[in-house]
Amino acid sequence: MSRTQHSDDKHPDVSDISLTRVLSAVSDPLRLGIVLLLSDGQERQWGELDAPVSKSTLSHHMKTLRSAGVTRTRDEGTRCYVHLRADDLETRFPGLLATLLHAAPDEATPVGLK
């Protein structure tokens, strides 16, 4: 199985995004920080993310966000890119993302760019 097929298989359809899974995914301060960073609408390469955790731990958090339908990843060669599924989340749960982003700064672990 190619890397592209692998990541595409892990993205739930919009209709399958569950509120409880989204809320569980963003309940972690680091994942909330990742969502805040990605809320600018830019697609980011994983290697750009500057988080206070190991690469394997960051990978776990990114997988959690992806499988909950919060983010979408795209592989290009050996690089992996990620973006926030803002439009999909707005379609499924109108206003939820805006509410999270408004409340998040005080509770999110800061995640920057290298």
Side-chain angles (χ1 to χ4, degrees), residues 38-39 41 69-70 83-92 97:
L38 296 175
S39 69
V70 176
H83 71 270
L84 187 64
R85 293 178 67 178
D87 292 342
D88 291 344
L89 291 170
E90 183 62 25
T91 296
R92 187 80 170 111
L97 186 57

Side-chain angles (χ1 to χ4, degrees), residues 14-93:
V14 174
S15 62
D16 294 330
I17 297 174
S18 157
L19 180 62
T20 55
R21 290 195 69 195
V22 169
L23 293 176
S24 178
V26 298
S27 68
D28 180 89
L30 180 65
R31 291 191 294 262
L32 193 55
I34 293 167
V35 169
L36 272 175
L37 177 73
L38 296 175
S39 69
D40 66 0
Q42 298 296 310
E43 182 179 63
R44 303 286 184 195
Q45 185 179 339
W46 280 30
E48 286 183 273
L49 302 180
D50 187 16
V53 294
S54 69
K55 286 182 181 182
S56 62
T57 300
L58 179 60
S59 181
H60 164 75
H61 286 292
M62 298 303 285
K63 180 180 177 182
T64 300
L65 289 169
R66 182 185 70 222
S67 64
V70 176
T71 61
R72 180 173 295 278
T73 57
R74 175 179 67 84
D75 294 333
E76 187 175 293
T78 59
R79 294 190 172 121
C80 185
Y81 296 87
V82 61
H83 71 270
L84 187 64
R85 293 178 67 178
D87 292 342
D88 291 344
L89 291 170
E90 183 62 25
T91 296
R92 187 80 170 111
F93 309 110

